[in-house]
Amino acid sequence: MIRLLRTYLGFSTRDIQKILELEVDGNLLGAIESGKNTAKYHDQHLNKLARAFTAKSFELGYNITYTVGDFYPPASFKEEMVKKIIIKIEPTELGPTGTLHLLLAENNDPFFDEWHTSKEIAHYCGAQAGKNWEAKDFTAVIDNAIKKDTLIRKSEDEALFKRP
């Protein structure tokens, strides 16, 4: 849009560099106008350009007032509902934490309705995920599940766990 208005109003790139107070030997404008670079104008630049373009427009008799908003794409868009796509994640794609969460919370697996040791939980989750996990792989995972109230411990004396 800037290039279009710049050429329409008769501004050269050198004129724009002066308006924006850029180095004359710099190539920021070339980089911006080529679209092949990530360089962009910022709002301070756009404000200066809007004032300069407005002044030139009145000087040429077009009498158009430009604002920063003229340099941005229109904000309106079609508002429509989009069908939600749910991707089923398999335990084989996850580690111990993800597998426990998937089986316990997402799948509401009935295994967790009964009391189990951390070894039993590790073996069950491992069987579901096709992995060979041991109790030590689930020590921190079970502790986090207890903190999040997705698992409870039977007592301080018994290391048995189930869904609350």
Side-chain angles (χ1 to χ4, degrees):
M1 181 57 85
I2 300 290
R3 181 176 42 198
L4 177 74
L5 290 173
R6 173 180 70 73
T7 55
Y8 174 72
L9 295 171
F11 285 106
S12 69
T13 55
R14 202 167 288 277
D15 294 331
I16 300 298
Q17 286 174 319
K18 288 178 185 174
I19 292 167
L20 299 180
E21 301 169 12
L22 300 174
E23 294 179 27
V24 178
D25 59 344
N27 195 24
L28 177 64
L29 293 179
I32 292 172
E33 288 188 358
S34 75
K36 296 178 183 175
N37 195 306
T38 58
K40 303 281 185 240
Y41 294 108
H42 52 70
D43 283 344
Q44 184 180 4
H45 288 155
L46 297 177
N47 275 317
K48 289 179 180 180
L49 291 172
R51 286 192 297 270
F53 288 0
T54 298
K56 186 70 168 187
S57 168
F58 276 83
E59 180 184 309
L60 295 173
Y62 301 141
N63 300 333
I64 300 172
T65 302
Y66 295 97
T67 68
V68 173
D70 295 320
F71 306 130
Y72 285 102
S76 62
F77 56 92
K78 185 177 178 185
E79 198 171 324
E80 62 184 71
M81 300 297 287
V82 177
K83 185 174 181 173
K84 183 176 181 180
I85 299 172
I86 299 174
I87 299 171
K88 183 157 174 49
I89 298 174
E90 297 298 326
T92 54
E93 303 173 58
L94 304 170
T97 303
T99 301
L100 180 64
H101 176 76
L102 180 70
L103 296 174
L104 184 63
E106 299 291 323
N107 294 356
N108 204 23
D109 194 304
F111 172 83
F112 296 99
D113 293 336
E114 303 296 325
W115 295 105
H116 296 284
T117 65
S118 56
K119 182 178 180 179
E120 292 169 334
I121 292 172
H123 287 194
Y124 182 77
C125 289
Q128 301 301 310
K131 298 181 181 160
N132 220 2
W133 287 324
E134 299 177 18
K136 66 179 181 171
D137 298 320
F138 278 80
T139 304
V141 176
I142 290 172
D143 286 344
N144 284 333
I146 291 169
K147 288 177 188 171
K148 293 180 180 180
D149 294 324
T150 54
L151 276 181
I152 57 172
R153 183 178 176 143
K154 190 168 190 178
S155 70
E156 289 298 319
D157 299 329
E158 295 180 276
L160 296 172
F161 310 93
K162 75 172 198 166
R163 181 182 295 114

Coordinates of all heavy atoms in Angstrom, one line a residue, residues 52 79 84 123 146:
A52 N 2.8 13.1 5.5 CA 3.4 13.5 4.3 C 2.5 13.2 3.1 O 2.4 14.1 2.2 CB 4.7 12.8 4.1
E79 N -17.2 -14.1 9.9 CA -17.3 -14.9 11.2 C -18.1 -16.1 10.9 O -19.3 -16.0 10.6 CB -17.9 -14.0 12.3 CG -17.6 -14.6 13.7 CD -18.0 -13.6 14.7 OE1 -17.9 -12.4 14.5 OE2 -18.5 -14.0 15.8
K84 N -15.0 -28.6 14.9 CA -13.8 -29.0 15.8 C -13.4 -30.4 15.4 O -14.2 -31.3 15.3 CB -14.3 -28.9 17.2 CG -13.2 -29.2 18.2 CD -13.7 -29.1 19.6 CE -12.7 -29.3 20.7 NZ -13.2 -29.2 22.0
H123 N 3.5 -50.9 35.3 CA 3.4 -52.0 34.3 C 2.1 -51.9 33.5 O 2.1 -52.1 32.3 CB 3.4 -53.3 35.1 CG 4.7 -53.7 35.6 ND1 5.1 -54.9 36.1 CD2 5.9 -53.0 35.7 CE1 6.3 -55.0 36.4 NE2 6.8 -53.8 36.2
I146 N -0.9 -36.8 42.4 CA -1.4 -36.6 43.8 C -1.6 -35.1 44.1 O -2.6 -34.6 44.6 CB -0.5 -37.2 44.9 CG1 -0.6 -38.8 44.7 CG2 -0.9 -36.8 46.3 CD1 0.4 -39.5 45.5

